[in-house]
Amino acid sequence: MQDAMFSGLFGALTTEHRMNFIANNLANVNTHGYKRQTLAFKDTMAYYAHDEIREPLMHMRSEPLFPEPKNMARARIAVSKTDFSQGSMEFTGNALDLCISGENAFFRVATPSGEFLTRSGHFVLSSDGTVVSPDGHPLQGIGGNIVIPPGARNIAIGGDGQVAVDGAVVNQIELVSVDNPQNLEKLGHNLYKSRENVDVDEGNAYDNGARIEQGFTEKANVEVVSEMVNMIEVQRQFEAYQKVMQTADTLDRAANEKVGKRIG
């Protein structure tokens, strides 16, 4: 019964990881620019020596010398991916709320640990007039931080990222494109960086057709109904794996009792 017990155990662990991803997606349904996480699975096969033997048969009625191949599949997590599909735009009317139109494009922000990418376009003004994220990370423009002069009455940001204050252009928002978004990993707080030992080629996202929409924010690309259905499915799977382990344990106990009685 060990095979049944281990299959149930690893199946339960797999569904636990999937549940964590679903719960995190649902928890960030109201996070600006959040991208949902998905999991992919594959079967790993357990082989026996006789599975690889191809014995010659003299005629159609020949008796096989070895048992039939018995390959056992066990589901395992193959890879986790971030779904970078475009989220819907939500109108806010706030001059510093920005939405990127285009999937393969990111804002750049500066943090004490370095510069990172983000899809969250919700920004505010710091005490010295710097455009920053709610966490205090300055939004990067051409040449550095974007600073709004004191007493500004009108802030206009064009589709090409140019920031005009009372009619005068003060900077242009840097919009970064990457060759493959799957080479980025999440850091938390809606930030991304390149994966270790992976070279990410960055470019000018404006040249690839990306635009900025002022007064809008990008909503998370999480579909609540779909995630809730996935959560119910995972719960049912976990319960099924529990029953497999309980049944295997019951059979093991019964077998041990019978063996003990015969020996006694």
Side-chain angles (χ1 to χ4, degrees):
M1 292 298 107
Q2 294 298 318
D3 286 334
M5 179 63 75
F6 285 126
S7 294
L9 173 61
F10 285 111
L13 292 174
T14 300
T15 55
E16 181 182 3
H17 280 288
R18 189 181 176 197
M19 179 63 78
N20 290 338
F21 276 60
I22 294 172
N24 188 57
N25 289 339
L26 289 173
N28 287 279
V29 68
N30 292 320
T31 301
H32 301 295
Y34 175 80
K35 301 304 178 184
R36 62 188 290 266
Q37 289 287 113
T38 61
L39 282 178
F41 300 89
K42 68 178 180 180
D43 283 340
T44 56
M45 309 301 291
Y47 294 98
Y48 294 94
H50 62 260
D51 294 340
E52 304 299 326
I53 297 176
R54 299 293 180 265
E55 54 184 317
L57 297 178
M58 300 303 295
H59 51 77
M60 294 298 294
R61 296 184 180 180
S62 297
E63 291 293 334
L65 299 177
F66 296 93
E68 291 294 325
K70 182 186 287 185
N71 298 332
M72 295 186 300
R74 293 176 179 174
R76 296 291 184 271
I77 297 175
V79 65
S80 64
K81 295 181 63 176
T82 303
D83 179 7
F84 284 98
S85 61
Q86 179 86 41
S88 60
M89 291 193 297
E90 182 179 30
F91 177 74
T92 65
N94 189 335
L96 293 180
D97 279 344
L98 309 175
C99 178
I100 298 176
S101 177
E103 295 183 4
N104 188 16
F106 301 86
F107 296 110
R108 192 192 300 277
V109 294
T111 75
S113 301
E115 294 185 347
F116 301 111
L117 305 179
T118 183
R119 286 284 298 195
S120 176
H122 179 57
F123 298 102
V124 295
L125 283 181
S126 66
S127 57
D128 62 356
T130 303
V131 180
V132 298
S133 70
D135 293 325
H137 305 320
L139 174 65
Q140 295 302 286
I142 304 302
N145 298 345
I146 299 174
V147 180
I148 304 300
R153 296 182 178 180
N154 180 39
I155 302 174
I157 301 175
D160 59 357
Q162 286 195 347
V163 182
V165 179
D166 296 331
V169 176
V170 296
N171 208 326
Q172 182 182 20
I173 298 173
E174 185 179 5
L175 211 57
V176 181
S177 65
V178 296
D179 55 343
N180 183 4
Q182 295 304 326
N183 288 332
L184 301 176
E185 64 175 346
K186 289 186 175 183
L187 295 177
H189 300 282
N190 233 348
L191 300 177
Y192 298 89
K193 74 168 186 176
S194 59
R195 298 183 184 275
E196 292 186 8
N197 302 322
V198 175
D199 293 328
V200 176
D201 293 330
E202 297 183 354
N204 188 338
Y206 298 115
D207 295 339
N208 297 328
R211 308 291 289 175
I212 292 179
E213 301 292 339
Q214 186 182 22
F216 292 84
T217 57
E218 181 183 5
K219 298 179 67 176
N221 62 349
V222 177
E223 295 183 6
V224 177
V225 175
S226 298
E227 294 295 338
M228 291 299 295
V229 170
N230 291 336
M231 178 175 286
I232 295 172
E233 176 189 347
V234 171
Q235 287 177 332
R236 298 292 184 268
Q237 289 177 346
F238 189 83
E239 292 171 359
Y241 287 126
Q242 279 185 317
K243 291 180 180 179
V244 169
M245 289 187 288
Q246 291 170 356
T247 302
D249 181 64
T250 301
L251 293 175
D252 282 342
R253 290 176 182 272
N256 291 333
E257 289 177 0
K258 291 181 178 180
V259 171
K261 289 179 180 179
R262 290 187 178 181
I263 294 176

